[in-house]
Amino acid sequence: MDCRVKPGNDVPQCVWRNMKHDTFIRHLLLIVAPLIAAFAILPGVYDNHLLLFNFVIFLILAQGVNIIYGFTGYLPFGYVGFFGAGAYGFAIMVMHFQTPAPLAVLVAGVVGVLLGLLLTPLLRLSGAYFAIANLAAALAVLHFVANPALESITKGPYGVALNGTFNPTLAYVGAVIILALTLGIVVFLRNSSFGMALQAVREDAVSAAMAGVNVVKMRVIAWLASALVAGLAGGVFAWYVSVFYPDNVFSSDFSIFAIVFALFGGVATIMGPIVGVVILYGIYNLIGFTTPQYFQLIYGVLIMALVLFLPAGLVSLATRRGWNVP
């Protein structure tokens, strides 16, 4: 089907006409549906619900990093800024407006998007400059939220307690729904001309612009989509724990883990971040708590081996053999 992009027009106008419909449906049925079903069933057969919840959260964040880095090449070292902003957006709605928790989670996603809009000038940067500026922005948001002068609004550095909304069961259900939404976005990017155009922008923005792709708009859409899922994740995390401090929800561990998980599995794919989270977070929970010194050593060795021998992630082992990894 002909779907040429005319200069000055946006690629999304012909996204669905160029969508690989069969592959799109197959990915939804064979990857997204089984994964969501597994996380829906596991709480009934496995008692450690907190562990399952953390797996879901890191799957969301790793796929969020995949959206912005895998499809545009922007590495967000300060990705946790959206997560923390979402958590505080949820908390403020519950504390000051008595908003029902599910609606407050949606507001948390909106807060993530608004912060993303505020930070869109960062997209003028690239490489290490963007990564450092994004990290600085996340730290700025942390210090703003933790300002004692804002105690009446954010509780400042003294932490938030949302005892009236504590419901880990419903929060877990909400997290699984957000994971399904996030995976749906990645499947869409993987199987549409919009996603292919994003990857073209990542490889050579000048050539993509000459071909008629609206480079700025494409980058902003991907940036806001990744901010949305991180904000939603932060909101549902706040719902689940109900008690947290600024340093908890703005911890750099969220960014570092999400980036490492995505890179370890392989970005610009659906399966890569999933594999990364299952393997690395699985290792973290097996040995990271009991023998943290060995965990740091093993983690370091794995990351060095990845950078040296598998820069495209674990999925490259399959692609080198000619397998098509979704």
Side-chain angles (χ1 to χ4, degrees):
M1 182 179 294
D2 183 32
C3 186
R4 297 187 179 93
V5 182
K6 298 179 181 180
N9 287 349
D10 298 335
V11 171
Q13 292 177 352
C14 61
V15 165
W16 286 101
R17 284 188 291 159
N18 259 3
M19 174 77 73
K20 294 178 282 187
H21 293 282
D22 293 342
T23 308
F24 178 78
I25 299 300
R26 186 165 65 248
H27 287 167
L28 288 178
L29 293 178
L30 299 182
I31 299 175
V32 178
L35 186 65
I36 297 304
F39 278 107
I41 294 169
L42 279 172
V45 297
Y46 185 65
D47 293 333
N48 194 341
H49 292 181
L50 176 59
L51 176 61
L52 295 176
F53 179 79
N54 286 336
F55 263 106
V56 174
I57 288 296
F58 280 116
L59 280 169
I60 295 170
L61 292 178
Q63 292 289 4
V65 169
N66 189 24
I67 292 171
I68 186 61
Y69 178 67
F71 289 92
T72 69
Y74 284 95
L75 187 60
F77 279 172
Y79 193 55
V80 70
F82 301 124
F83 182 83
Y88 270 89
F90 176 90
I92 290 172
M93 293 302 296
V94 170
M95 289 189 299
H96 299 296
F97 301 99
Q98 291 73 50
T99 306
L103 180 57
V105 171
L106 296 179
V107 173
V110 173
V111 171
V113 172
L114 292 176
L115 180 60
L117 283 171
L118 182 65
L119 299 180
T120 47
L122 295 182
L123 296 176
R124 295 176 179 271
L125 305 174
S126 61
Y129 299 103
F130 170 82
I132 294 171
N134 183 223
L135 178 59
L139 292 174
V141 176
L142 164 60
H143 289 295
F144 176 80
V145 168
N147 188 339
L150 295 176
E151 181 184 354
S152 61
I153 300 175
T154 66
K155 301 300 182 183
Y158 310 112
V160 171
L162 305 171
N163 298 325
T165 62
F166 181 69
N167 192 327
T169 301
L170 286 181
Y172 179 84
V173 172
V176 172
I177 293 173
I178 294 168
L179 175 60
L181 169 67
T182 306
L183 289 172
I185 293 173
V186 176
V187 171
F188 169 78
L189 293 177
R190 181 70 176 171
N191 293 283
S192 68
S193 61
F194 181 82
M196 289 187 290
L198 277 176
Q199 294 184 69
V201 171
R202 180 194 64 192
E203 297 300 328
D204 191 338
V206 175
S207 297
M210 293 179 65
V213 176
N214 190 328
V215 173
V216 174
K217 181 172 286 189
M218 300 286 281
R219 285 173 171 170
V220 169
I221 291 174
W223 173 246
L224 296 182
S226 68
L228 170 66
V229 299
L232 291 171
V236 80
F237 179 84
W239 185 11
Y240 188 93
V241 299
S242 292
V243 178
F244 58 87
Y245 293 88
D247 289 340
N248 299 142
V249 293
F250 285 96
S251 171
S252 60
D253 288 349
F254 286 107
S255 290
I256 294 171
F257 277 27
I259 290 171
V260 170
F261 294 158
L263 293 178
F264 185 83
V267 294
T269 66
I270 306 166
M271 288 300 301
I274 297 173
V275 171
V277 171
V278 171
I279 293 177
L280 292 184
Y281 196 62
I283 293 174
Y284 174 77
N285 284 278
L286 285 174
I287 64 176
F289 292 116
T290 56
T291 55
Q293 65 276 20
Y294 296 117
F295 166 74
Q296 297 291 345
L297 174 63
I298 294 173
Y299 234 39
V301 171
L302 282 174
I303 293 171
M304 287 191 296
L306 174 71
V307 171
L308 290 173
F309 303 109
L310 294 172
L314 285 181
V315 296
S316 63
L317 290 175
T319 55
R320 288 175 183 178
R321 289 169 172 77
W323 301 346
N324 183 22
V325 179

